[in-house]
């Protein structure tokens, strides 16, 4: 079973990717100009995007030794202020402050943040327009301010790019995080996260539940997949850390997830409690590597997932297990920042615990924010009752409240990239896809299609491809057949196979030419058309192993 948990503390400080600060460059997308197309389906691609100052990029080396690096020292005056603010709250207010509730619909839940003093909300409705998002977020923030709250309300969103993007409207669509593993340019990763974060901040968000630091184990990983940069722990460490720093550049709180690593379990915690059978040695060498990097870089918040670790001989979900939160994360990795649970309404927890019990147990285990309990008010009442009967120490609750307040105050004051209007990050999103597109079979030079093209596959993807072809002047309706593949759709026997998300589907096609695109955004389709016509090279390389292809990339 490997060494005990207590014995891995010193060994976890591994040599990892450095993320040293450099001077800012002139634009989010180097080599691009204002006026490039906006990454939405409803906005004219010629309408323009705003060039903005770039954040300081991360270094590109994975050979640097950070074994002596320490987490950034906290601002003691800010810490003291947060402690004072927390101590001034009533018990009921403290219990509310550690809860972030799920919210759907355009109507702002003002009573939750004013009357019940919840720490904030996570916006879950992908159908809200930009105007509705801004109005919702502004109303919540204004209500908290008018009620006398002296720190930002937590208004968060799952916005990873690709399949996981809750804030839509006119905001820039980014491809999957795996795109950045395929591009393998940490400076670009940091600029992309800064661009996305700057748009989110412009829309009123204060927190983003990203980046994903899980190392995917391949096609048997049902939950993470293209949400991860790849299957190499050091690659994932480098890009997850760079993304977290990019969000900080934008003045938005990043929450690195899902400790201790969800990419190596063959079950989905949304529907059941996954069992992690890896030994502590195996976790140390793989899943924990990106989180070590994040802690060493001083990233302020970590989400703990719902996994059962057999190496600890525990039956508890990791989000409720003190040996994971206080032991592995705080004691072993030295993390003293904000710990957030994964959503407590997920089946991995909710099938065994009510919202109140789960919230109390998460706080007892060392978490500071309980995310999305199914009934946030009953969770609040349970926390109050637990302090009252001694089940939960009030000092532990005070510590959790102070950590959340400090994190929100500090991040809001440290952004170096201005907030952006919707679509303002289009250039850098387009740059990501252009750097990621990967030809794993077929010619590396010149056109990959003969004359026109006949696209087939997913209807929405075909429509986006057709728009990109029209923008590039590529004839449609005759010529080379091109299939756009999603899981469960195809193959269709085309001459060119394109995997839109994870590249594993390329293993099952008989096409002469195979391309991994890692997204279906307008920018991704533009990058694909440019490669198909020979107007651009395909610089990406597979960040995961795929059977049945000739090479990792050109």
């Amino acid at each position: 079973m490997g060494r005990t948990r207590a014995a891995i503390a010193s060994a976890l400080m591994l040599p990892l990717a450095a993320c040293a600060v450099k001077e800012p460059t002139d634009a989010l997308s180097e080599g691009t100009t204002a006026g490039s197309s906006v990454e939405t389906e409803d906005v004219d691609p010629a309408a323009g995007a705003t060039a903005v100052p770039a954040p300081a990029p991360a270094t590109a080396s994975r050979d640097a030794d950070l074994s002596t690096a320490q987490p950034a020292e906290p601002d003691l005056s800010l810490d003291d202020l947060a402690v004072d603010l927390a101590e001034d709250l009533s018990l009921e207010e403290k219990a509310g402050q550690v809860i972030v509730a799920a919210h759907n619909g355009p109507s702002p839940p003002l009573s939750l943040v004013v009357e019940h003093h919840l720490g904030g909300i996570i916006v879950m409705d992908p159908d809200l327009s930009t105007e509705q998002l801004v109005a919702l977020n502004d109303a919540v923030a204004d209500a908290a301010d008018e009620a006398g709250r002296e720190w930002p309300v937590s208004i968060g969103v799952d916005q990873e790019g690709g399949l996981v993007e809750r804030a839509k409207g006119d905001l820039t669509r980014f491809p999957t995080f795996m795109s950045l593993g395929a591009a393998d340019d940490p400076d670009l990763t940091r600029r992309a996260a800064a661009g996305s974060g700057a748009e989110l901040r412009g829309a009123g968000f204060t927190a983003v539940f990203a980046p994903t630091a899980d190392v995917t184990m391949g096609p048997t990983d049902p939950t993470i997949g293209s949400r991860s940069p790849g299957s190499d722990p050091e690659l994932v460490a480098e890009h997850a850390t760079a993304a977290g720093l990019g969000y900080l550049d934008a003045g938005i709180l990043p929450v690195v997830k899902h400790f201790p690593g969800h990419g190596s379990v063959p079950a989905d915690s949304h529907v059941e409690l996954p069992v992690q059978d890896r030994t502590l040695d195996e976790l140390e060498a793989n899943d924990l590597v990106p989180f070590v990097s994040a802690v060493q870089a001083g990233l302020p918040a970590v989400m703990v997932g719902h996994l059962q670790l057999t190496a600890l001989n525990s039956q508890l979900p990791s989000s409720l297990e003190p040996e994971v939160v206080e032991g592995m994360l705080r004691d072993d990795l030295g993390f003293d920042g904000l710990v957030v649970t994964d959503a407590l309404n997920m089946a991995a927890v909710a099938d065994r615990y009510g919202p109140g019990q789960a919230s109390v147990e998460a706080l007892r285990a060392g978490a500071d924010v309980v995310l999305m309990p199914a009934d946030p008010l009953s969770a609040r009442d349970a926390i109050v009752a637990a302090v009252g009967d001694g089940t939960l120490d009030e000092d532990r609750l005070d510590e959790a409240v102070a950590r959340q307040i400090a994190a929100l105050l500090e991040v809001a004051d440290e952004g170096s990239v201005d907030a952006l209007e919707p679509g303002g990050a289009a250039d850098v999103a387009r740059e990501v896809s252009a750097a990621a597109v990967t030809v794993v079979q077929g010619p590396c030079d010149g056109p990959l299609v003969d004359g026109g093209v006949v696209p087939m596959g997913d209807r929405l993807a075909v429509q986006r491809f057709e728009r990109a072809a029209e923008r590039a002047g590529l004839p449609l309706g005759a010529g080379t057949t091109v299939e756009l593949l999603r899981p469960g759709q195809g193959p269709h026997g085309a001459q060119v196979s394109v995997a839109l998300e994870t590249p594993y589907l390329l293993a099952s096609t008989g096409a002469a030419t195979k391309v991994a695109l890692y997204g279906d955004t307008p920018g991704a389709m533009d990058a694909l058309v440019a490669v198909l016509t020979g107007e651009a090279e395909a610089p990406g390389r597979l960040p995961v192993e795929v059977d049945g292809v000739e090479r990792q990339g050109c």
Side-chain angles (χ1 to χ4, degrees), residues 434 437 446-449 465 468-469 472 474 517 523-538:
V437 59
L448 303 182
V449 296
F465 177 85
L474 176 61
L517 190 59
M525 293 303 180
D526 284 340
L528 173 61
V529 169
V531 168
L532 293 178
T533 59
E535 293 297 317
E537 296 180 349

PDB file of all heavy atoms in Angstrom, residues 434 437 446-449 465 468-469 472 474 517 523-538:
ATOM      1  N   ALA A 434      -5.392  27.906 -32.570  1.00  0.00           N
ATOM      2  CA  ALA A 434      -4.400  27.865 -33.644  1.00  0.00           C
ATOM      3  C   ALA A 434      -3.120  27.173 -33.189  1.00  0.00           C
ATOM      4  O   ALA A 434      -2.451  26.497 -33.984  1.00  0.00           O
ATOM      5  CB  ALA A 434      -4.097  29.282 -34.134  1.00  0.00           C
ATOM      6  N   VAL A 437      -4.193  22.873 -32.576  1.00  0.00           N
ATOM      7  CA  VAL A 437      -4.655  21.923 -33.585  1.00  0.00           C
ATOM      8  C   VAL A 437      -3.520  20.966 -33.951  1.00  0.00           C
ATOM      9  O   VAL A 437      -2.378  21.373 -34.162  1.00  0.00           O
ATOM     10  CB  VAL A 437      -5.225  22.659 -34.812  1.00  0.00           C
ATOM     11  CG1 VAL A 437      -4.200  23.565 -35.467  1.00  0.00           C
ATOM     12  CG2 VAL A 437      -5.815  21.680 -35.818  1.00  0.00           C
ATOM     13  N   GLY A 446       1.057  21.638 -46.619  1.00  0.00           N
ATOM     14  CA  GLY A 446       0.158  21.813 -47.744  1.00  0.00           C
ATOM     15  C   GLY A 446      -1.281  21.494 -47.395  1.00  0.00           C
ATOM     16  O   GLY A 446      -1.606  21.121 -46.266  1.00  0.00           O
ATOM     17  N   PRO A 447      -2.177  21.613 -48.368  1.00  0.00           N
ATOM     18  CA  PRO A 447      -3.608  21.368 -48.113  1.00  0.00           C
ATOM     19  C   PRO A 447      -3.878  19.910 -47.744  1.00  0.00           C
ATOM     20  O   PRO A 447      -3.253  18.990 -48.258  1.00  0.00           O
ATOM     21  CB  PRO A 447      -4.258  21.723 -49.457  1.00  0.00           C
ATOM     22  CG  PRO A 447      -3.266  22.573 -50.174  1.00  0.00           C
ATOM     23  CD  PRO A 447      -1.925  22.097 -49.740  1.00  0.00           C
ATOM     24  N   LEU A 448      -4.851  19.741 -46.855  1.00  0.00           N
ATOM     25  CA  LEU A 448      -5.298  18.404 -46.477  1.00  0.00           C
ATOM     26  C   LEU A 448      -6.595  18.036 -47.181  1.00  0.00           C
ATOM     27  O   LEU A 448      -7.102  16.923 -47.008  1.00  0.00           O
ATOM     28  CB  LEU A 448      -5.509  18.335 -44.962  1.00  0.00           C
ATOM     29  CG  LEU A 448      -4.297  18.684 -44.080  1.00  0.00           C
ATOM     30  CD1 LEU A 448      -4.646  18.512 -42.607  1.00  0.00           C
ATOM     31  CD2 LEU A 448      -3.097  17.846 -44.441  1.00  0.00           C
ATOM     32  N   VAL A 449      -7.152  18.980 -47.948  1.00  0.00           N
ATOM     33  CA  VAL A 449      -8.383  18.734 -48.708  1.00  0.00           C
ATOM     34  C   VAL A 449      -8.135  19.142 -50.163  1.00  0.00           C
ATOM     35  O   VAL A 449      -7.267  19.950 -50.462  1.00  0.00           O
ATOM     36  CB  VAL A 449      -9.572  19.526 -48.126  1.00  0.00           C
ATOM     37  CG1 VAL A 449      -9.889  19.055 -46.712  1.00  0.00           C
ATOM     38  CG2 VAL A 449      -9.316  21.030 -48.140  1.00  0.00           C
ATOM     39  N   PHE A 465     -18.514  24.933 -38.522  1.00  0.00           N
ATOM     40  CA  PHE A 465     -17.491  24.679 -39.536  1.00  0.00           C
ATOM     41  C   PHE A 465     -17.854  25.393 -40.839  1.00  0.00           C
ATOM     42  O   PHE A 465     -16.988  25.997 -41.495  1.00  0.00           O
ATOM     43  CB  PHE A 465     -17.340  23.184 -39.764  1.00  0.00           C
ATOM     44  CG  PHE A 465     -16.360  22.829 -40.842  1.00  0.00           C
ATOM     45  CD1 PHE A 465     -15.006  22.723 -40.566  1.00  0.00           C
ATOM     46  CD2 PHE A 465     -16.779  22.607 -42.151  1.00  0.00           C
ATOM     47  CE1 PHE A 465     -14.085  22.405 -41.567  1.00  0.00           C
ATOM     48  CE2 PHE A 465     -15.876  22.284 -43.151  1.00  0.00           C
ATOM     49  CZ  PHE A 465     -14.526  22.185 -42.856  1.00  0.00           C
ATOM     50  N   ALA A 468     -17.024  28.998 -40.693  1.00  0.00           N
ATOM     51  CA  ALA A 468     -15.580  29.216 -40.807  1.00  0.00           C
ATOM     52  C   ALA A 468     -15.118  29.025 -42.253  1.00  0.00           C
ATOM     53  O   ALA A 468     -14.270  29.780 -42.750  1.00  0.00           O
ATOM     54  CB  ALA A 468     -14.831  28.269 -39.871  1.00  0.00           C
ATOM     55  N   ALA A 469     -15.650  28.003 -42.937  1.00  0.00           N
ATOM     56  CA  ALA A 469     -15.291  27.778 -44.339  1.00  0.00           C
ATOM     57  C   ALA A 469     -15.698  28.963 -45.205  1.00  0.00           C
ATOM     58  O   ALA A 469     -14.939  29.404 -46.089  1.00  0.00           O
ATOM     59  CB  ALA A 469     -15.955  26.495 -44.841  1.00  0.00           C
ATOM     60  N   ALA A 472     -13.349  31.804 -44.827  1.00  0.00           N
ATOM     61  CA  ALA A 472     -12.054  31.561 -45.468  1.00  0.00           C
ATOM     62  C   ALA A 472     -12.159  31.366 -46.973  1.00  0.00           C
ATOM     63  O   ALA A 472     -11.141  31.204 -47.644  1.00  0.00           O
ATOM     64  CB  ALA A 472     -11.395  30.334 -44.831  1.00  0.00           C
ATOM     65  N   LEU A 474     -13.525  28.719 -48.440  1.00  0.00           N
ATOM     66  CA  LEU A 474     -13.401  27.298 -48.755  1.00  0.00           C
ATOM     67  C   LEU A 474     -14.746  26.797 -49.281  1.00  0.00           C
ATOM     68  O   LEU A 474     -15.752  26.869 -48.571  1.00  0.00           O
ATOM     69  CB  LEU A 474     -12.999  26.518 -47.502  1.00  0.00           C
ATOM     70  CG  LEU A 474     -12.921  24.984 -47.618  1.00  0.00           C
ATOM     71  CD1 LEU A 474     -11.882  24.557 -48.640  1.00  0.00           C
ATOM     72  CD2 LEU A 474     -12.622  24.358 -46.245  1.00  0.00           C
ATOM     73  N   LEU A 517      -8.742  18.579 -32.591  1.00  0.00           N
ATOM     74  CA  LEU A 517      -9.041  20.012 -32.542  1.00  0.00           C
ATOM     75  C   LEU A 517      -9.264  20.516 -31.124  1.00  0.00           C
ATOM     76  O   LEU A 517      -9.039  21.695 -30.858  1.00  0.00           O
ATOM     77  CB  LEU A 517     -10.274  20.304 -33.404  1.00  0.00           C
ATOM     78  CG  LEU A 517     -10.601  21.768 -33.670  1.00  0.00           C
ATOM     79  CD1 LEU A 517      -9.446  22.484 -34.361  1.00  0.00           C
ATOM     80  CD2 LEU A 517     -11.872  21.902 -34.504  1.00  0.00           C
ATOM     81  N   GLY A 523     -13.369  30.045 -33.063  1.00  0.00           N
ATOM     82  CA  GLY A 523     -11.926  30.124 -33.255  1.00  0.00           C
ATOM     83  C   GLY A 523     -11.302  28.791 -33.580  1.00  0.00           C
ATOM     84  O   GLY A 523     -10.363  28.706 -34.381  1.00  0.00           O
ATOM     85  N   ALA A 524     -11.802  27.723 -32.963  1.00  0.00           N
ATOM     86  CA  ALA A 524     -11.291  26.389 -33.275  1.00  0.00           C
ATOM     87  C   ALA A 524     -11.608  26.019 -34.715  1.00  0.00           C
ATOM     88  O   ALA A 524     -10.762  25.444 -35.422  1.00  0.00           O
ATOM     89  CB  ALA A 524     -11.891  25.360 -32.318  1.00  0.00           C
ATOM     90  N   MET A 525     -12.807  26.342 -35.171  1.00  0.00           N
ATOM     91  CA  MET A 525     -13.170  26.034 -36.552  1.00  0.00           C
ATOM     92  C   MET A 525     -12.334  26.848 -37.544  1.00  0.00           C
ATOM     93  O   MET A 525     -11.933  26.350 -38.603  1.00  0.00           O
ATOM     94  CB  MET A 525     -14.659  26.289 -36.771  1.00  0.00           C
ATOM     95  CG  MET A 525     -15.554  25.328 -36.007  1.00  0.00           C
ATOM     96  SD  MET A 525     -15.229  23.586 -36.404  1.00  0.00           S
ATOM     97  CE  MET A 525     -16.434  22.783 -35.342  1.00  0.00           C
ATOM     98  N   ASP A 526     -12.044  28.094 -37.214  1.00  0.00           N
ATOM     99  CA  ASP A 526     -11.159  28.889 -38.075  1.00  0.00           C
ATOM    100  C   ASP A 526      -9.770  28.256 -38.150  1.00  0.00           C
ATOM    101  O   ASP A 526      -9.149  28.204 -39.222  1.00  0.00           O
ATOM    102  CB  ASP A 526     -11.049  30.319 -37.541  1.00  0.00           C
ATOM    103  CG  ASP A 526     -12.285  31.157 -37.837  1.00  0.00           C
ATOM    104  OD1 ASP A 526     -13.054  30.793 -38.745  1.00  0.00           O
ATOM    105  OD2 ASP A 526     -12.474  32.175 -37.147  1.00  0.00           O
ATOM    106  N   ALA A 527      -9.266  27.781 -36.999  1.00  0.00           N
ATOM    107  CA  ALA A 527      -7.955  27.139 -36.982  1.00  0.00           C
ATOM    108  C   ALA A 527      -7.975  25.862 -37.811  1.00  0.00           C
ATOM    109  O   ALA A 527      -7.019  25.569 -38.557  1.00  0.00           O
ATOM    110  CB  ALA A 527      -7.544  26.834 -35.545  1.00  0.00           C
ATOM    111  N   LEU A 528      -9.052  25.086 -37.714  1.00  0.00           N
ATOM    112  CA  LEU A 528      -9.169  23.854 -38.493  1.00  0.00           C
ATOM    113  C   LEU A 528      -9.175  24.147 -39.985  1.00  0.00           C
ATOM    114  O   LEU A 528      -8.454  23.497 -40.757  1.00  0.00           O
ATOM    115  CB  LEU A 528     -10.446  23.115 -38.095  1.00  0.00           C
ATOM    116  CG  LEU A 528     -10.814  21.881 -38.925  1.00  0.00           C
ATOM    117  CD1 LEU A 528      -9.733  20.821 -38.835  1.00  0.00           C
ATOM    118  CD2 LEU A 528     -12.170  21.325 -38.480  1.00  0.00           C
ATOM    119  N   VAL A 529      -9.979  25.102 -40.416  1.00  0.00           N
ATOM    120  CA  VAL A 529     -10.060  25.430 -41.845  1.00  0.00           C
ATOM    121  C   VAL A 529      -8.707  25.901 -42.365  1.00  0.00           C
ATOM    122  O   VAL A 529      -8.290  25.523 -43.466  1.00  0.00           O
ATOM    123  CB  VAL A 529     -11.154  26.483 -42.082  1.00  0.00           C
ATOM    124  CG1 VAL A 529     -11.073  27.046 -43.499  1.00  0.00           C
ATOM    125  CG2 VAL A 529     -12.534  25.885 -41.835  1.00  0.00           C
ATOM    126  N   ALA A 530      -7.991  26.692 -41.571  1.00  0.00           N
ATOM    127  CA  ALA A 530      -6.682  27.179 -42.004  1.00  0.00           C
ATOM    128  C   ALA A 530      -5.709  26.030 -42.211  1.00  0.00           C
ATOM    129  O   ALA A 530      -4.901  26.042 -43.152  1.00  0.00           O
ATOM    130  CB  ALA A 530      -6.132  28.170 -40.980  1.00  0.00           C
ATOM    131  N   VAL A 531      -5.781  25.002 -41.367  1.00  0.00           N
ATOM    132  CA  VAL A 531      -4.905  23.837 -41.528  1.00  0.00           C
ATOM    133  C   VAL A 531      -5.362  22.995 -42.722  1.00  0.00           C
ATOM    134  O   VAL A 531      -4.533  22.532 -43.522  1.00  0.00           O
ATOM    135  CB  VAL A 531      -4.876  23.010 -40.230  1.00  0.00           C
ATOM    136  CG1 VAL A 531      -4.208  21.654 -40.458  1.00  0.00           C
ATOM    137  CG2 VAL A 531      -4.148  23.775 -39.124  1.00  0.00           C
ATOM    138  N   LEU A 532      -6.649  22.790 -42.881  1.00  0.00           N
ATOM    139  CA  LEU A 532      -7.154  21.981 -43.989  1.00  0.00           C
ATOM    140  C   LEU A 532      -6.780  22.583 -45.346  1.00  0.00           C
ATOM    141  O   LEU A 532      -6.473  21.860 -46.296  1.00  0.00           O
ATOM    142  CB  LEU A 532      -8.675  21.830 -43.895  1.00  0.00           C
ATOM    143  CG  LEU A 532      -9.220  21.017 -42.715  1.00  0.00           C
ATOM    144  CD1 LEU A 532     -10.742  20.999 -42.748  1.00  0.00           C
ATOM    145  CD2 LEU A 532      -8.675  19.593 -42.714  1.00  0.00           C
ATOM    146  N   THR A 533      -6.807  23.896 -45.436  1.00  0.00           N
ATOM    147  CA  THR A 533      -6.493  24.561 -46.710  1.00  0.00           C
ATOM    148  C   THR A 533      -5.003  24.774 -46.920  1.00  0.00           C
ATOM    149  O   THR A 533      -4.586  25.235 -47.990  1.00  0.00           O
ATOM    150  CB  THR A 533      -7.195  25.919 -46.785  1.00  0.00           C
ATOM    151  OG1 THR A 533      -6.763  26.740 -45.685  1.00  0.00           O
ATOM    152  CG2 THR A 533      -8.705  25.767 -46.749  1.00  0.00           C
ATOM    153  N   GLY A 534      -4.191  24.461 -45.919  1.00  0.00           N
ATOM    154  CA  GLY A 534      -2.755  24.665 -46.034  1.00  0.00           C
ATOM    155  C   GLY A 534      -2.314  26.075 -45.738  1.00  0.00           C
ATOM    156  O   GLY A 534      -1.131  26.408 -45.924  1.00  0.00           O
ATOM    157  N   GLU A 535      -3.233  26.924 -45.264  1.00  0.00           N
ATOM    158  CA  GLU A 535      -2.873  28.308 -44.942  1.00  0.00           C
ATOM    159  C   GLU A 535      -2.101  28.403 -43.639  1.00  0.00           C
ATOM    160  O   GLU A 535      -1.459  29.419 -43.374  1.00  0.00           O
ATOM    161  CB  GLU A 535      -4.135  29.161 -44.852  1.00  0.00           C
ATOM    162  CG  GLU A 535      -4.865  29.342 -46.170  1.00  0.00           C
ATOM    163  CD  GLU A 535      -4.017  30.079 -47.201  1.00  0.00           C
ATOM    164  OE1 GLU A 535      -3.361  31.072 -46.821  1.00  0.00           O
ATOM    165  OE2 GLU A 535      -4.007  29.650 -48.366  1.00  0.00           O
ATOM    166  N   ALA A 536      -2.187  27.389 -42.818  1.00  0.00           N
ATOM    167  CA  ALA A 536      -1.483  27.400 -41.534  1.00  0.00           C
ATOM    168  C   ALA A 536      -0.990  26.006 -41.221  1.00  0.00           C
ATOM    169  O   ALA A 536      -1.540  25.006 -41.683  1.00  0.00           O
ATOM    170  CB  ALA A 536      -2.411  27.895 -40.415  1.00  0.00           C
ATOM    171  N   GLU A 537       0.076  25.919 -40.433  1.00  0.00           N
ATOM    172  CA  GLU A 537       0.574  24.650 -39.950  1.00  0.00           C
ATOM    173  C   GLU A 537      -0.229  24.209 -38.729  1.00  0.00           C
ATOM    174  O   GLU A 537      -0.980  24.990 -38.142  1.00  0.00           O
ATOM    175  CB  GLU A 537       2.049  24.769 -39.586  1.00  0.00           C
ATOM    176  CG  GLU A 537       2.951  25.088 -40.782  1.00  0.00           C
ATOM    177  CD  GLU A 537       4.409  25.197 -40.375  1.00  0.00           C
ATOM    178  OE1 GLU A 537       4.682  25.237 -39.148  1.00  0.00           O
ATOM    179  OE2 GLU A 537       5.268  25.256 -41.275  1.00  0.00           O
ATOM    180  N   ALA A 538      -0.055  22.945 -38.359  1.00  0.00           N
ATOM    181  CA  ALA A 538      -0.691  22.402 -37.156  1.00  0.00           C
ATOM    182  C   ALA A 538       0.406  22.182 -36.112  1.00  0.00           C
ATOM    183  O   ALA A 538       1.070  21.140 -36.115  1.00  0.00           O
ATOM    184  CB  ALA A 538      -1.412  21.098 -37.467  1.00  0.00           C
TER     185      ALA A 538
END
